[in-house]
């Protein structure tokens, strides 16, 4: 086993991709210096600043240049430092990257990855803490990946880079420095659009994304002590969504809790709940219960932010409601 | 404007008769195509917002005829002229505008999204300014590959006020990539004159702060556009970084087919008629001995014949399969 972190695994996976394929280039603010979370640490030293390119604070142009470079045959991996700033690049992403293949009748391809990170809990305030993945999930043409651990980064980031469609990878700042052991032989790439069952159980299915995967596993541990056997599924990619794995689980358990850190309102949980009820309405023994943040911006003050953040306790309450 | 731009601003210069002829052919093909589009749009044979470039053909012709298929062009919403001049087949272009299966984008794009990769036409966009950074990225790719193939992006004077313009020009300058920003300054953005959008009269003035060499030329003089762009192209190909070429022109038609009009002074339109780029090249051609009036008329007639053949081709093309959108949302 190798002891590592999520952030270090991002850097190591990017390095491996750059070593394997000279078309892979990295653009972003401070990426040649490793970035504030060290996710691109060592890349400029290893591959030079012609391929690891610092950019000015021009999110739209960073994203747009990546699109043009991708249309010309490169495989750019660009970084938007915080998902909170994705609004500045959204036109490029939504009207450019997502639609070029379609609108050109299949002539153009945009094999780019946009890496960014979200999540609250670090007293970042309302503009550095959001979870905005549902904005991206709503756009046909984009794929959206949310790795919940170093292992998932190692499994999914290479697949995102190899994909011929634009892929947004939303990382978690809360998880960046969590220690984790990965196998010595490394983790083989796994296809986008496949969920992972992290714990098998008979009584209730908990679908959780990103940081909430760990909260769900903790909830399942506590539920086991009460004799409740929870199944925990990480969809890993929100688009494409592996509904089959989730539905197969719900057919067995009859109960579903969906947990994410983003606000519940209009969140990905609503989409998963809707798809599950359409696919297995007669297998459900209770309404689907959603866990997410309240419908307010993220507060700064520690007590308020802690109260805002959904976690194990909210998942336990949701399971109780689903079992009621 | 930076002093080094002076050379680009000098008029005159002679042209090979074959090149002059090719420019006239190109302008007439664009003019005849777009004149025919107007009724096709009004009868709902052509679909979608249709922006004509009648009066502005010299820019498309002067620039695109100097580029090979490996030199990528990005365009804007007023794209038919750029596409035709870059080599896109007229029949497939019209079929695209009519939403037909034989359209260059299989009917999924339309007028504002024309793309033809085989001819290096990476496309139009419906988002004003949206393609500017794509060109910078494509030029980054060509420099990294080592061939420094020049990338050209057309934009209007209205796009220069978008934030993405400044971001893109700055990035191009910082990276010193072989991109040429070609502005078609027709003095209007939709119904609003430039003076109501900015106090900066010349788009080329916006380049100097970024240390990008720029020039402004008479965009209705195809000989001048051809000469100025030829110089810029040579410099950009030699790795001398990005350039901006502003071409002053005038669109003689509405902003789009069906534009309510009434926002321009009739006398302005009158004076621009004399400056029409086709008329000017025909007159110049006679004086320079490039082609006579009969030859010019034959060029016009051939262009109109090609348009009718395109109409026949596109009209015979079927509408695309209903499964196409789902098939092409993601690359396979
Ligand atoms: C981002 C964006 N805003 C507004 C529009 C609507 N629009 C289409 S063309 C246009 C004017 C563009 O003017 P200019 O760039 O000068 O090009 P021209 O039409 O004169 O060729 C506007 C406002 C748009 N398509 N995209
Ligand atoms: Mg204009």
């Amino acid at each position: 086993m190798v002891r590592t972190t999520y952030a270090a695994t991002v850097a190591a996976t990017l390095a491996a991709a750059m070593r394997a394929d000279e078309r892979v280039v990295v653009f972003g603010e401070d990426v040649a210096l490793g970035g504030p979370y060290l996710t691109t640490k060592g890349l400029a030293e290893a591959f030079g600043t012609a391929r690891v390119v610092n950019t000015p604070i021009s999110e739209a142009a960073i994203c747009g240049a990546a699109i043009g470079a991708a249309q010309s045959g490169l495989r750019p991996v660009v970084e938007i430092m915080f998902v909170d700033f994705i609004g500045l690049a959204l036109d490029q992403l939504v009207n450019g990257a997502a639609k070029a293949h379609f609108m050109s009748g299949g002539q153009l391809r945009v094999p780019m990855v946009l890496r960014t990170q979200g999540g609250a809990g670090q007293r970042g305030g309302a503009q550095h803490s959001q979870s905005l993945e549902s904005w991206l999930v709503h756009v046909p043409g984009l794929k959206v990946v949310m790795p919940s651990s170093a292992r998932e980064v190692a499994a999914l980031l290479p697949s995102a880079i190899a994909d011929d469609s634009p892929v947004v990878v939303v990382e978690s700042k809360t998880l960046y420095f969590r220690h984790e052991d990965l196998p010595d032989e490394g983790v083989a790439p796994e296809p986008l659009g496949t969920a992972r069952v992290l714990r098998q159980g008979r009584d209730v299915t908990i679908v959780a994304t990103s940081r909430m995967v760990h909260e769900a596993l903790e909830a399942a541990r506590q539920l086991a002590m009460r004799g409740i056997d929870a199944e925990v599924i990480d969809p890993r990619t929100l688009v494409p969504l592996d509904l089959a794995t989730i539905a197969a689980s719900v057919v067995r358990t009859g109960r579903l809790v969906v947990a994410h850190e983003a606000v519940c309102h209009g969140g990905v949980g609503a989409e998963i709940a809707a798809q599950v009820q359409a696919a297995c309405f007669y297998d459900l023994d209770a309404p689907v219960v959603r866990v997410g943040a309240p419908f307010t911006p993220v507060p700064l003050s520690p007590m308020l932010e802690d109260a805002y953040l959904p976690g194990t306790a909210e998942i336990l309450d949701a399971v109780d409601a689903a079992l009621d | 404007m930076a002093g080094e731009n002076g050379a680009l601003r000098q008029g005159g210069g002679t042209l090979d008769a074959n090149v002059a002829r090719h420019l006239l052919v190109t302008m007439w093909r664009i003019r005849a195509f777009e004149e025919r589009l107007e009724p096709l749009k009004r009868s709902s044979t052509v679909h979608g917002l249709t922006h004509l470039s009648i009066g502005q053909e010299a820019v498309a012709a002067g620039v695109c005829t100097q580029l090979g298929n490996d030199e990528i062009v990005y365009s804007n919403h007023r794209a038919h002229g750029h596409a035709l001049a870059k080599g896109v087949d007229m029949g497939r272009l019209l079929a695209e505008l009519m939403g037909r299966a034989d359209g260059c984008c299989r009917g999924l794009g339309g007028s504002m999204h024309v793309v033809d990769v085989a001819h290096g036409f990476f496309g139009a966009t419906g988002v004003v300014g949206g393609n500017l950074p794509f060109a910078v990225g494509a030029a980054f790719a060509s420099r990294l590959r080592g061939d420094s193939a020049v990338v050209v992006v057309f934009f209007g004077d209205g796009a220069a006020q978008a934030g993405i313009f400044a971001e893109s020009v700055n990035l191009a300058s910082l990276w010193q990539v072989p991109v040429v920003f070609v502005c078609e300054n027709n003095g209007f953005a939709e119904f609003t004159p430039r003076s109501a959008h900015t106090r900066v009269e010349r788009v080329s003035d916006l380049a100097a702060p970024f240390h990008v060499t720029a020039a402004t030329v008479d965009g209705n003089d195809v000989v001048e556009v051809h000469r100025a762009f030829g110089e810029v192209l040579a410099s950009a190909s030699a790795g001398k970084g990005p350039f901006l070429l502003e071409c002053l022109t005038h669109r003689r038609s509405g902003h789009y087919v069906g534009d309510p009009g009434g926002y321009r002074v009739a006398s302005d339109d009158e004076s621009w008629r004399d400056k029409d780029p086709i008329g000017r090249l025909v007159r110049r051609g006679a004086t320079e001995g490039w082609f006579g009036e009969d030859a010019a008329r034959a060029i016009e007639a051939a262009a109109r014949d090609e348009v009718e053949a395109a109409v026949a081709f596109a009209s015979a093309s079927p509408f695309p399969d209903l499964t196409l959108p789902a098939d092409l949302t993601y690359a396979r």
Side-chain angles (χ1 to χ4, degrees):
Chain A
M1 287 290 179
V2 187
R3 180 130 272 232
T4 185
T5 63
Y6 190 119
T9 306
V10 171
T13 308
L14 290 173
M18 294 188 77
R19 209 171 296 121
D21 186 345
E22 64 177 16
R23 297 170 302 172
V24 178
V25 294
V26 171
F27 300 162
E29 294 160 20
D30 287 339
V31 291
L33 303 160
Y37 293 102
L38 310 179
T39 48
T40 53
K41 188 168 181 247
L43 295 180
E45 291 79 356
F47 303 101
T49 50
R51 285 176 72 198
V52 183
V53 189
N54 268 349
T55 62
I57 307 154
S58 303
E59 281 76 10
I62 295 170
C63 185
I67 293 168
Q71 292 182 346
S72 278
L74 296 182
R75 292 193 169 261
V77 180
V78 292
E79 179 178 301
I80 299 289
M81 200 181 281
F82 285 75
V83 76
D84 307 75
F85 314 146
I86 197 78
L88 295 156
L90 266 187
D91 169 60
Q92 303 297 321
L93 199 58
V94 171
N95 287 316
K99 296 177 177 51
H101 182 70
F102 180 92
M103 294 192 302
S104 67
Q107 295 175 82
L108 292 171
R109 279 168 193 255
V110 187
M112 69 178 273
V113 172
L114 187 149
R115 288 181 44 249
T116 185
Q117 56 80 17
Q122 305 203 340
R123 319 310 182 208
Q127 297 175 335
H128 285 72
S129 306
Q130 297 170 85
S131 294
L132 298 173
E133 62 274 10
S134 69
W135 291 7
L136 306 164
V137 164
H138 197 61
V139 182
L142 295 182
K143 295 186 179 179
V144 182
V145 182
M146 287 189 92
S148 59
S149 62
R151 187 209 171 273
E152 301 302 357
V153 168
L156 300 172
L157 186 52
S159 303
I161 294 171
D163 204 285
D164 276 344
S165 295
V167 181
V168 182
V169 178
V170 187
E171 298 163 3
S172 162
K173 66 169 81 62
T174 318
L175 301 176
Y176 270 155
F177 299 106
R178 189 177 161 270
H179 287 283
E180 198 176 322
D181 292 322
L182 293 185
D184 291 332
E185 67 277 14
V187 178
E190 292 169 17
L192 305 185
T194 54
R196 187 149 175 258
V197 181
L198 289 161
R199 184 186 193 282
Q200 290 185 328
R202 286 170 322 226
D203 300 327
V204 60
T205 303
I206 306 172
V207 170
T209 62
S210 192
R211 178 184 66 83
M212 292 299 270
V213 169
H214 305 281
E215 305 289 334
L217 287 170
E218 172 58 20
R221 200 183 59 79
Q222 295 184 25
L223 288 165
M225 296 192 291
R226 286 164 45 194
I228 299 165
D229 193 14
E231 179 143 312
V232 177
I233 300 178
D234 176 3
R236 308 196 297 175
T237 66
L238 302 178
V239 181
L241 180 70
D242 181 2
L243 179 66
T245 297
I246 297 169
S249 171
V250 172
V251 165
R252 277 187 289 102
T253 63
R255 295 166 202 279
L256 175 65
V257 169
V258 188
H260 53 57
E261 188 181 307
V263 292
C264 258
H265 191 108
V268 168
E271 179 61 30
I272 295 175
Q275 291 198 27
V276 166
Q277 67 82 23
C280 23
F281 185 72
Y282 293 104
D283 299 296
L284 281 167
D285 297 322
V288 177
V289 186
R290 289 188 291 153
V291 175
F295 198 51
T296 73
V298 182
L300 175 89
S301 185
M303 296 246 298
L304 299 183
E305 189 182 35
D306 291 348
Y308 167 95
L309 264 187
T312 304
E314 287 75 11
I315 295 175
L316 289 170
D317 288 347
V319 169
D320 285 341
L323 289 169
D324 213 13
Chain B
M1 238 181 302
E4 61 212 288
N5 302 336
L8 296 181
R9 269 183 280 153
Q10 286 162 19
T14 55
L15 206 60
D16 181 270
N18 286 325
V19 175
R21 204 186 135 79
H22 186 51
L23 291 171
L24 185 62
V25 167
T26 305
M27 290 198 293
W28 260 124
R29 290 178 69 237
I30 300 169
R31 175 73 54 92
F33 180 78
E34 290 201 322
E35 284 181 351
R36 188 71 174 83
L37 274 190
E38 178 133 16
L40 290 172
K41 169 62 188 167
R42 289 189 191 277
S43 64
S44 293
T45 310
V46 156
H47 306 284
L49 281 172
T50 307
H51 304 92
L52 306 183
S53 62
I54 292 173
Q56 303 188 179
E57 297 90 343
V59 185
V63 170
C64 293
T65 55
Q66 302 192 59
L67 300 170
N69 290 341
D70 294 339
E71 286 156 324
I72 293 169
V73 166
Y74 284 98
S75 169
N76 59 359
H77 55 286
R78 203 174 297 289
H80 312 140
H82 308 147
L84 288 171
K86 193 72 189 9
V88 179
D89 177 78
M90 193 185 282
R92 297 200 62 206
L93 175 64
L94 183 57
E96 185 57 37
L97 272 50
M98 287 166 57
R100 305 301 178 106
D102 292 299
C104 43
C105 304
R106 304 171 73 181
L108 291 180
S111 171
M112 287 190 285
H113 309 294
V114 172
V115 169
D116 181 1
V117 166
H119 289 98
F121 190 71
F122 277 31
T125 179
V127 179
V128 170
N131 274 353
L132 290 162
F134 298 3
V136 178
F140 172 90
S142 74
R143 201 198 48 194
L144 195 67
R145 276 195 314 267
D147 57 24
S148 282
V150 170
V151 179
V152 172
V153 57
F154 289 99
F155 66 105
D157 48 297
Q161 281 70 252
I164 191 66
F165 171 80
E167 288 193 18
S168 301
V169 174
N170 183 55
L171 204 57
S173 167
L174 191 67
W175 288 354
Q176 286 294 296
V177 290
V179 61
V180 182
F181 299 95
V182 178
C183 179
E184 289 172 287
N185 183 348
N186 59 15
F188 274 82
E190 286 189 357
F191 316 144
T192 305
R194 180 161 176 81
S195 58
H197 278 172
T198 176
R199 295 176 64 181
V200 181
E201 193 183 343
R202 291 282 172 259
V203 173
S204 57
D205 286 344
L206 298 169
F210 296 105
H211 297 263
V212 168
T213 306
T216 298
V217 298
D218 178 349
N220 275 29
D221 179 351
V222 72
V223 179
E224 176 64 358
V225 173
H226 184 272
R227 187 199 56 75
F229 180 72
E231 286 186 19
V232 161
L233 180 61
S235 297
S237 303
K240 296 198 179 140
F243 289 87
L244 188 149
L245 182 64
E246 176 183 28
C247 303
L248 301 178
T249 184
H250 179 81
R251 67 169 155 73
R252 294 187 53 191
S253 46
H255 171 59
Y256 50 82
V257 178
D259 169 347
Y263 51 87
R264 291 198 294 207
V265 191
S267 59
D268 277 1
D269 290 346
E270 208 56 51
S271 77
W272 280 99
R273 194 163 308 160
D274 300 333
K275 293 186 229 156
D276 183 90
I278 293 184
R280 275 171 78 178
L281 181 61
V282 170
R283 291 196 293 274
R284 177 97 183 257
T287 6
E288 302 270 359
W290 293 331
F291 34 71
E293 271 184 36
D294 288 349
R297 264 194 295 274
I299 286 170
E300 175 186 352
R304 296 203 189 278
D305 288 348
E306 186 187 358
V307 173
E308 289 318 311
V311 173
F313 169 82
S315 308
S317 175
F319 286 98
D321 272 357
L322 290 176
T323 55
L324 199 58
D327 287 347
L328 290 178
T329 299
Y330 291 94
R332 280 168 224 269

